[in-house]
Amino acid sequence: MSLGAILLAGGRGSRVAGAVKPLFEVGGQTLLGAAVTAVTDAGADAVVVAGPDLVPGLDVTWVREDPPFGGPAAGTVAALGAIGDPDWIFLLACDLPAVGAAVSTLAAAIPLLPSDADGVCLGDGSSRPQWLIGLYRTSALRQAASALPSRGDGASMRDLLADLAITVLAADDARTSDIDTWEDLAQARRMHEEQR
């Protein structure tokens, strides 16, 4: 079984005054760096980041949706064109302070999935699917992406993934929380310090 990863890092950061969220540091590591480490430790051979080249020299492939800021579905479609053909693809937002634990949970779930499952994602405390904390069959993801008009520009992740057979794993808030605001960033840093 081969693994790849698509990391989405092309958002506007509108709730943090345009700051570049993937470069926020928690525990001495950027969120982007933590995501790259998590997926490579899990066995991903190819890592594609959809977004501007934030860290020159980082061992990833950078792609950008056209037009930029077309949303996560458009970023996913663009990245699929550069990732090769692994069996499974981690699909992750780059604003997850507990990305290592999330990736470990997803990877451990693969042998337990039904044979006809198209993927697995974590669910938050209300069991709502967190599409951008997921692991999906490449073939299913490509088929879903091919059905989107305009290469996914303006489409939601629900538009992309709703027709796939995805298992949702209940997870605690620590694994599914993301950083949308300055308060979220401060809380993530506090939690990291408390866990040390």
Side-chain angles (χ1 to χ4, degrees), residues 9-10 20 22-23 32 49-65:
V20 182
L23 298 184
L32 173 60
V49 181
D53 188 344
L54 300 174
V55 185
L58 188 64
D59 189 19
V60 300
T61 299
W62 299 92
V63 299
R64 199 74 200 267
E65 69 272 19

Side-chain angles (χ1 to χ4, degrees), residues 10-24 52 54 69 180 182:
R12 295 182 186 272
S14 56
R15 295 176 68 185
V16 286
V20 182
K21 291 197 299 180
L23 298 184
F24 286 170
L54 300 174
F69 303 113
D180 286 328
W182 295 116

Side-chain angles (χ1 to χ4, degrees), residues 56-140:
L58 188 64
D59 189 19
V60 300
T61 299
W62 299 92
V63 299
R64 199 74 200 267
E65 69 272 19
D66 184 21
F69 303 113
T76 301
V77 173
L80 282 169
I83 200 167
D85 200 28
D87 298 317
W88 293 82
I89 293 175
F90 288 104
L91 180 58
L92 302 167
C94 281
D95 60 358
L96 305 170
V99 67
V103 165
S104 295
T105 301
L106 293 169
I110 292 179
L112 308 176
L113 293 178
S115 60
D116 60 349
D118 293 322
V120 58
C121 73
L122 299 190
D124 64 14
S126 62
S127 299
R128 183 178 56 187
Q130 299 300 298
W131 308 115
L132 296 181
I133 313 176
L135 180 60
Y136 305 101
R137 288 189 194 276
T138 304
S139 57

